[in-house]
Amino acid sequence: MPDWNKVVHDHLGGLDLQADERAEIVEELAGHLEEIFDDLRRQGFSEEDATRGCLLEVEDWRGLGLRIEAARRKESPMNNRVRQFWLPGLLTFTLSMGLLAVAEIYGPKPWILRSGNPPIMVVHIPWLLGLPVVGAIGAFLSRRAGGSRRAIFSSIVFPVVPYLAAILFISPVVLGFDHFIAHSPMPAAIPMAVLGLVLTPGVALLAGGLPAQLFFSRRLDSRRIASR
Amino acid sequence: MIGSGVKRGTAELAILSVLESGALHGYEIARRIEQQTQGKLRFTLASLYPLLYRIEKQDWVRGEWQIGETGRRRRRYRLTSSGKKKVAPLRAEWSELFQALRQLAKVAGA
């Protein structure tokens, strides 16, 4: 008979829990596998087949470990929303801003797109090229914290949300006062701002974030309900 | 109104229901559910324990180590008083879900 304690320990020995709690979980799960093994042997299965049958109980040990950690972990001061959305979101925002500052200071001259006079769009190519990595980091952190698809998506695009909010806030004011300002360029600048500050960086963030989400979803499988 | 957590609730209800008859360890819980549902509902180790640990943290069940007849140390789970109180609302929610599905089936078949 396989040493089930060793089998479980090999897979779950690194659980992020207290040592005694971890040892109890390993013992309990090993006992469960031992019972299945004995049951299969009593039904006439060979030792090899019974072992195989036991191992089918867990398709994804890593996912099981994550779900056990989530279930057993003491409540931390950070709730799920903080871990799954706010923390990854603020980190992607900080990284995005830092990257933009670095691109502005040390990067090559930005690409300037003119559309009318004077609405322009300033594009920092190194910043855009770095954003997919930022999006991927946001997706990874949110996914690792067990975030839903919506939380992951929000974490990825979080850096453009303040821009979008600012534009949405400013636009009605600009449009409202436009009649009183002669030759105001602002209404024409709004679409340029949306394009340059929201859509383009948003697409760049998603270009890295969405593939990362798919990749990590496969690795960090989190089946939450019982198989039927 | 059927809650969004009803699907998870049915799995929780299955565990709480079999524990109503007395304390069981994890393997017995899985076996009992499988037997009582004629194999329609099956918990693997991977699906059972995260759920058991979660409802233990919610104080619906309590696990205690005991030495079994075979001399093995096993953790047996029993319903707590709050777990016992939880069974009826969960059962009602589940029943409401099936009633809604039956009504849908009738409409579709009409």
Side-chain angles (χ1 to χ4, degrees), chain A residues 24 27-29 31-32 34-36 38-39 57-58 64 67 70-73 225-228, chain B residues 7 10 25 27 31 40-47 49-50 53-54 57 65 72-75 77:
Chain A
E24 283 196 345
E27 184 182 351
E28 183 171 22
L29 269 53
H32 188 112
E34 204 176 310
E35 299 255 19
I36 296 173
D38 289 348
D39 231 13
E57 288 285 304
V58 186
L64 173 62
R67 280 177 289 131
R72 292 294 288 254
R73 197 176 286 137
I225 55 167
S227 59
R228 284 148 205 270
Chain B
K7 206 172 179 186
T10 56
H25 60 69
Y27 180 66
R31 288 277 295 162
K40 291 188 181 74
L41 196 58
R42 183 174 176 272
F43 280 83
T44 61
L45 178 149
S47 57
Y49 284 92
Y53 295 151
R54 190 167 60 234
K57 196 165 78 175
W65 286 99
R72 289 170 179 160
R73 219 164 80 97
R74 291 286 180 261
R75 198 148 186 264
Y77 293 86

Side-chain angles (χ1 to χ4, degrees), chain A residues 88-172:
Chain A
L90 287 172
L91 186 73
T92 53
F93 178 72
T94 308
L95 283 173
S96 164
M97 291 296 98
L99 203 61
L100 180 59
V102 169
E104 281 178 341
I105 297 167
Y106 300 107
K109 279 189 176 177
W111 178 48
I112 297 174
L113 178 69
R114 291 182 189 278
S115 170
N117 189 26
I120 55 170
M121 185 173 100
V122 180
V123 182
H124 291 276
I125 302 292
W127 179 55
L128 285 180
L129 292 176
L131 286 182
V133 180
V134 175
I137 291 170
F140 168 71
L141 292 175
S142 180
R143 181 75 190 129
R144 196 178 65 163
S148 62
R149 279 185 187 174
R150 191 191 297 173
I152 296 170
F153 180 83
S154 307
S155 301
I156 296 170
V157 298
F158 194 83
V160 299
V161 172
Y163 288 125
L164 182 63
I167 292 166
L168 289 176
F169 178 74
I170 291 167
S171 299

Side-chain angles (χ1 to χ4, degrees), chain A residues 19-77:
Chain A
D20 55 343
E21 197 178 6
R22 191 165 53 227
E24 283 196 345
I25 288 170
V26 169
E27 184 182 351
E28 183 171 22
L29 269 53
H32 188 112
L33 290 174
E34 204 176 310
E35 299 255 19
I36 296 173
F37 181 84
D38 289 348
D39 231 13
L40 291 172
R41 291 288 285 146
R42 276 194 293 274
Q43 289 170 37
F45 286 91
S46 68
E47 190 161 318
E48 200 177 70
D49 286 342
T51 304
R52 202 174 298 126
C54 288
L55 294 176
L56 284 176
E57 288 285 304
V58 186
E59 288 172 7
D60 175 11
W61 284 96
R62 187 180 162 80
L64 173 62
L66 287 172
R67 280 177 289 131
I68 289 176
E69 278 176 0
R72 292 294 288 254
R73 197 176 286 137
K74 300 280 181 289
E75 286 298 325
S76 73

Side-chain angles (χ1 to χ4, degrees), chain B residues 17-54:
Chain B
S17 295
V18 295
L19 288 176
E20 271 187 313
S21 57
L24 299 168
H25 60 69
Y27 180 66
E28 287 172 333
I29 293 172
R31 288 277 295 162
R32 197 68 68 87
I33 290 171
E34 194 173 349
Q35 284 166 358
Q36 290 183 2
T37 61
Q38 283 88 44
K40 291 188 181 74
L41 196 58
R42 183 174 176 272
F43 280 83
T44 61
L45 178 149
S47 57
L48 177 66
Y49 284 92
L51 196 55
L52 256 182
Y53 295 151
R54 190 167 60 234

